[in-house]
Amino acid sequence: LCLLTHLEPHPSSPATQDKPHPSITPVTQTDKRPVKRTSGAEALLQVLNKKPKMSTLEKSRLDWMKYKKDEGFEEELTFHTKDGYLEKQEFLQRTDQRQFEQERDERLKRFKRLY
């Protein structure tokens, strides 16, 4: 059971066509200055000549590179990344894979001997 307590007429009904909808406000021009129009070529030149904005990530990357050079960390960081976390994880994964393959080969040899 649904009770409608408030009914509004449909927007296209004759009762509402004379009155503007309350949520719609007419646009008025308050600024009387003429609008400067540019040609397509001028607009293209403006876009091409505009200095590109630098993203936060790019700025941080450049700042970090400059800091490493200024403080003399660059060489030390390069040396230590050789034995970094990712390289150790890759090494451990390769040794785990190799050990699994050796154990699998042993199981297959024993299985063949049984039959």
Side-chain angles (χ1 to χ4, degrees):
L1 182 71
C2 180
L3 297 174
L4 298 175
T5 58
H6 185 308
L7 294 175
E8 291 184 15
H10 191 270
S12 64
S13 70
T16 59
Q17 286 180 353
D18 296 337
K19 303 176 207 172
H21 194 274
S23 65
I24 300 174
T25 56
V27 178
T28 58
Q29 185 178 1
T30 57
D31 193 8
K32 300 293 182 185
R33 287 184 272 161
V35 177
K36 181 182 177 188
R37 297 188 184 250
T38 59
S39 70
E42 288 175 356
L44 180 63
L45 283 175
Q46 287 176 353
V47 170
L48 292 176
N49 290 334
K50 191 180 278 189
K51 185 177 178 183
K53 293 184 179 180
M54 187 179 300
S55 71
T56 304
L57 291 176
E58 183 68 19
K59 175 77 169 120
S60 296
R61 186 181 69 79
L62 292 174
D63 289 345
W64 174 243
M65 288 173 53
K66 182 180 180 299
Y67 179 76
K68 286 190 307 185
K69 276 186 183 175
D70 292 348
E71 298 296 322
F73 291 141
E74 194 166 21
E75 198 172 300
E76 186 177 342
L77 288 172
T78 305
F79 175 74
H80 287 293
T81 55
K82 181 180 108 180
D83 295 325
Y85 175 78
L86 294 176
E87 285 80 11
K88 288 178 184 177
Q89 292 301 314
E90 289 172 357
F91 171 76
L92 291 173
Q93 189 175 19
R94 285 192 312 268
T95 56
D96 188 41
Q97 180 69 26
R98 192 174 306 126
Q99 183 179 4
F100 170 77
E101 290 171 357
Q102 289 172 351
E103 291 171 355
R104 182 195 62 201
D105 292 342
E106 283 295 317
R107 284 192 305 271
L108 288 175
K109 283 180 187 178
R110 278 189 257 138
F111 183 73
K112 286 182 181 179
R113 278 191 241 154
L114 292 175
Y115 293 102

